[in-house]
Amino acid sequence: MKVALATVLTVLLSVTALLALARMYRGPSLLDRVIAADVLLNTMAGAVGAEAAVNRHATTLPVLVVLSLLGFVGAVALVRFAVREEP
Amino acid sequence: MADWLGAGCLVAGALLSLAAGIGVLRFPDVLDRMHAATKPQVLGVLLLLAGVALRLRTPDDIGMIVLVAVFQLATAPVAAQMVGRAAYRSGRVDRSLLDTDELADEG
């Protein structure tokens, strides 16, 4: 069960990350890239959490706190920048 | 039992994240993409966290997971609203896709 669960979660989260990366590459505007970066960061948080759940350890849980706050701060900073860029 | 429930939560959360990824890639403009990204993303992360909590099951870890969940619930709407407002104000909204534009100055 553990291997099957790890495989399914890896495939799903990897495809999500690739889709977000494709949108980040294609743009077309900064806001699209902000949204894609948010999705990518949340996927990374989900992957860290899924790894902790599958292997039953709690050492990476503080990383989840940092990732969830980092996504918010990054998105807000970039959006403020995008608004100031074009009056 | 709780292990299987946790595994189900993990897979459901990953599927919702996948839905967010597909929506972000396929939808046509910024507001649609923001909508697709935020809603399943938040529920997906919450389901993944519930799966983690169901498989770890110690009070310390559950406290940390609740902290992450509260951060997600508090920050995701704010970030999405700021992105949507910036998109509207800088004119990146495709008006042919809107039914009604409640922010327009029509009187």
Side-chain angles (χ1 to χ4, degrees), chain B residues 50-68:
Chain B
V52 178
L54 279 171
R55 282 179 72 90
L56 290 179
R57 294 200 292 270
T58 53
D60 288 357
D61 304 337
I62 290 177
M64 193 82 94
I65 289 165
V66 168
L67 191 65
V68 178

Side-chain angles (χ1 to χ4, degrees), chain A residues 45-83:
Chain A
V48 170
E51 193 268 337
V54 169
N55 293 326
R56 289 185 195 286
H57 65 75
T59 45
T60 50
L61 285 187
V63 179
L64 282 183
V65 181
V66 174
L67 279 180
S68 68
L69 284 180
L70 191 67
F72 174 65
V73 173
V76 169
L78 277 173
V79 168
R80 300 297 292 183
F81 172 74
V83 171

Side-chain angles (χ1 to χ4, degrees), chain B residues 33-101:
Chain B
R33 284 179 200 137
M34 179 201 68
H35 171 89
T38 308
K39 283 167 191 158
Q41 190 73 38
V42 171
L43 186 58
V45 170
L46 287 184
L47 274 172
L48 278 163
L49 290 173
V52 178
L54 279 171
R55 282 179 72 90
L56 290 179
R57 294 200 292 270
T58 53
D60 288 357
D61 304 337
I62 290 177
M64 193 82 94
I65 289 165
V66 168
L67 191 65
V68 178
V70 168
F71 281 158
Q72 282 288 335
L73 282 177
T75 58
V78 179
Q81 197 266 348
M82 287 191 70
V83 171
R85 192 179 66 156
Y88 188 88
R89 288 194 174 169
S90 58
R92 289 206 195 80
V93 178
D94 186 352
R95 292 188 188 278
S96 64
L97 295 173
L98 294 178
D99 273 346
T100 54
D101 187 354

Side-chain angles (χ1 to χ4, degrees), chain A residues 16 23 32 42 53 56 86, chain B residues 3 25 33 41 55 92:
Chain A
T16 307
R23 173 51 70 196
D32 297 299
N42 273 320
R56 289 185 195 286
E86 38 191 284
Chain B
D3 277 356
L25 189 63
R33 284 179 200 137
Q41 190 73 38
R55 282 179 72 90
R92 289 206 195 80

Side-chain angles (χ1 to χ4, degrees), chain B residues 2-38:
Chain B
D3 277 356
W4 287 99
L5 206 59
C9 281
L10 286 171
V11 173
L15 279 172
L16 275 170
S17 290
L18 180 65
I22 293 172
V24 164
L25 189 63
R26 306 258 323 155
F27 278 2
D29 78 338
V30 175
L31 291 186
D32 288 340
R33 284 179 200 137
M34 179 201 68
H35 171 89
T38 308

